């Protein structure tokens, strides 16, 4: 499977009459976006606001972040099984990305695990989306809507808007084109016979209502572990639909830009032979954890891997899935490195991971989410701060009258993901 990813660098966003890209500026028509979102009768109001790096702007509660992309050639559509049709050519041909632009869905809280993005100030250093040009879609659900119905409506709104805006880049010449190719398993193994064969286990958070991730439109808790070409993930085959702790949240943007996949491709054919992705779920029940980890180990053995990287989304209960996968793969004489964050409590005295095993002897830490940070007041709020004290990382009384508050780092969208994966790249893993 071969994918050409054309990146169109976006340095600014502005409202305009016509959706287009001119001189690295993305112009969007506010009313077109509103009309598109309001096609869903579960949403009764929609506001569209722009947020740029360095502004005194706070965005919360954030539901998802999505990079606008469009298929240019090769068949298939972005977000197959959700917005577009499922097609076997997903992950091939050419896709254009509006690099540096993001669609952010915002609105009344669904659960307590939706987070904050500050475009400036101390918290901006911990969040990758303080550096992007953001189109914020603030949705108002119909009264009496069940939380999971509201979540789905907000999720689809963001994906529809991102797919719509992505079309602005279809006929634009990219600033750069990257080529990614993964051959069928036996061909891939034969291509670089002298390099170690490395795989990646991508653990999806999908443990029930409001904790779901979608694989070709299918709730991941309904699947068993499977093989994926990494190019499929870059074409939107996996989308976020969960409300896990914001710092751990693998947004749809991060599925597009999975740092492990990107780093493995950089080393592919030079230091290692990147064989592909094993996709698995994080489960609730012990029997399911056992079943899925057995299958992960079986797939890793079938692929003939010499080494494997494993990441998890979330923490606590999923730590057991992580350790089961680690132990069973290692027992197949495959070297394993796990990537996770830590939650040692505010005083640093709690156990950082809820589970462990002897085989977990190579770990890359994404940092810890319990450290407390001061969030100064901002001049503009996109969304609402009504829920700060109820969002994970906040607490009763943490909000001040002037709009500032203190909270744990885990209230920031993708804080440990961003910093941990940056550490991963810096350390040369």
């Amino acid at each position: 499977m071969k994918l050409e990813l054309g990146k169109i660098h976006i340095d600014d966003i502005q409202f305009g009459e016509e959706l287009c890209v001119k001189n690295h500026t993305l112009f969007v028509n506010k009313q077109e976006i509103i009309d598109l979102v309001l096609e869903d009768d579960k949403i009764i109001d929609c506001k569209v606001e722009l947020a740029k790096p360095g502004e005194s702007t706070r965005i919360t509660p954030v539901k998802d972040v999505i990079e606008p992309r469009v298929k240019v050639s090769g068949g298939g559509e972005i977000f197959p099984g959700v917005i577009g049709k499922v097609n076997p050519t997903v992950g091939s041909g050419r896709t254009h990305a509006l690099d540096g632009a993001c669609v952010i869905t915002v609105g009344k809280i669904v659960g307590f695990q939706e987070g904050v993005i500050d475009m400036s100030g101390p918290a901006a250093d911990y969040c990758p989306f303080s550096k992007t040009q953001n189109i914020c879609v603030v949705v108002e659900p119909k009264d009496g809507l069940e939380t999971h119905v509201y979540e789905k409506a907000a999720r689809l709104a963001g994906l529809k808007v991102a797919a719509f805006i992505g079309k602005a880049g279809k006929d634009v010449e990219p600033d750069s084109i990257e080529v990614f190719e993964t051959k069928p398993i036996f061909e891939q193994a034969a291509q670089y016979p002298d390099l170690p064969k490395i795989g990646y286990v991508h653990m999806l958070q999908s443990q029930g209502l409001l904790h779901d991730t979608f694989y070709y439109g299918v709730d991941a808790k309904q699947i068993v572990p499977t093989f994926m070409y990494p190019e499929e993930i870059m074409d939107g085959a996996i989308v976020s639909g969960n409300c896990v702790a914001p710092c751990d949240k693998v947004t749809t943007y991060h599925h597009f830009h999975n740092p492990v996949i990107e780093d493995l491709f950089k080393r592919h054919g030079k230091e290692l032979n990147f064989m592909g992705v094993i996709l698995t779920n994080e489960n609730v029940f012990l029997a399911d954890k056992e079943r899925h980890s057995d299958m992960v180990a079986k797939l890793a053995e079938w692929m003939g891997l010499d080494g494997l990287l494993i990441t998890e989304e979330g923490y606590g209960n999923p730590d057991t899935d992580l350790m089961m996968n680690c132990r069973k793969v290692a027992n197949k004489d495959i070297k394993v490195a796990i990537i996770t964050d830590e939650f040692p409590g505010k005083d640093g005295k709690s156990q950082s991971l809820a589970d462990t095993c002897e085989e977990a002897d190579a770990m890359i830490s994404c940092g810890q989410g319990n450290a407390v940070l001061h969030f100064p007041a901002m001049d503009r709020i996109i969304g609402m701060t009504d829920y700060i004290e109820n969002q994970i990382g906040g607490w009763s009384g943490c909000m001040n009258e002037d709009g500032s508050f203190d909270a744990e780092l885990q209230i920031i969208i993708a804080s440990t993901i961003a910093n941990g994966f940056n550490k991963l790249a810096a350390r040369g893993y």
Side-chain angles (χ1 to χ4, degrees), residues 366-423:
C366 293
Q368 65 111 334
N370 293 134
V372 175
L373 185 72
H374 180 69
F375 294 72
M378 293 284 159
D379 294 338
R380 181 168 66 126
I381 303 296
I382 297 178
M384 61 213 72
T385 56
D386 308 39
Y387 307 102
I388 292 293
E389 294 187 358
N390 296 321
Q391 288 170 242
I392 193 165
W395 59 84
S396 179
C398 74
M399 190 82 182
N400 302 313
E401 290 185 5
D402 65 354
S404 66
F405 62 93
D406 296 289
E408 294 181 3
L409 286 177
Q410 60 178 318
I411 202 172
I412 304 172
I413 286 288
S415 58
T416 56
I417 289 174
N419 287 295
F421 282 134
N422 287 340
K423 291 176 185 176

Side-chain angles (χ1 to χ4, degrees), residues 234-416:
M234 293 177 172
D235 249 4
I238 301 177
V239 301
S240 174
N242 66 60
C243 305
V244 302
C247 66
D248 276 327
K249 186 178 179 68
V250 180
T251 65
T252 299
Y253 178 97
H254 281 97
H255 287 300
F256 276 145
H257 288 278
N258 186 301
V260 175
I261 291 175
E262 291 182 351
D263 273 6
L264 287 172
F265 266 125
K266 287 176 184 176
R267 293 163 171 77
H268 179 58
K270 302 169 187 174
E271 304 166 35
L272 54 87
N273 188 351
F274 182 23
M275 299 295 292
V277 177
I278 297 172
L279 192 72
T280 187
N281 184 30
E282 298 167 5
N283 298 283
V284 176
F285 298 108
L286 180 59
D288 294 325
K289 293 176 185 291
E290 293 282 9
R291 181 186 304 111
H292 280 232
S293 54
D294 286 345
M295 295 174 122
V296 164
K298 186 187 300 182
L299 279 168
E301 182 180 41
W302 170 78
M303 292 169 69
L305 298 178
D306 298 304
L308 194 66
L309 286 163
I310 308 177
T311 61
E312 70 170 328
E313 180 175 17
Y315 63 91
N317 185 294
D319 291 346
T320 298
D321 301 79
L322 178 68
M323 295 303 164
M324 283 184 171
N325 286 326
C326 176
R327 184 180 71 250
K328 293 179 183 180
V329 170
N331 288 337
K332 298 288 186 181
D333 293 325
I334 299 170
K335 294 181 179 179
V336 180
I338 63 176
I339 305 169
T340 183
D341 54 8
E342 304 173 64
F343 287 85
K346 291 181 183 179
D347 59 4
K349 296 180 180 179
S350 299
Q351 183 171 317
S352 293
L353 297 173
D355 200 354
T356 188
C357 66
E358 292 182 0
E359 292 80 3
D361 56 3
M363 185 183 86
I364 299 108
S365 174
C366 293
Q368 65 111 334
N370 293 134
V372 175
L373 185 72
H374 180 69
F375 294 72
M378 293 284 159
D379 294 338
R380 181 168 66 126
I381 303 296
I382 297 178
M384 61 213 72
T385 56
D386 308 39
Y387 307 102
I388 292 293
E389 294 187 358
N390 296 321
Q391 288 170 242
I392 193 165
W395 59 84
S396 179
C398 74
M399 190 82 182
N400 302 313
E401 290 185 5
D402 65 354
S404 66
F405 62 93
D406 296 289
E408 294 181 3
L409 286 177
Q410 60 178 318
I411 202 172
I412 304 172
I413 286 288
S415 58
T416 56

Side-chain angles (χ1 to χ4, degrees), residues 30-40 46:
K30 180 188 292 189
Q31 193 58 50
E32 284 182 341
I33 295 172
I34 292 171
D35 291 343
L36 180 63
V37 172
L38 293 182
E39 287 177 359
D40 188 339
C46 173

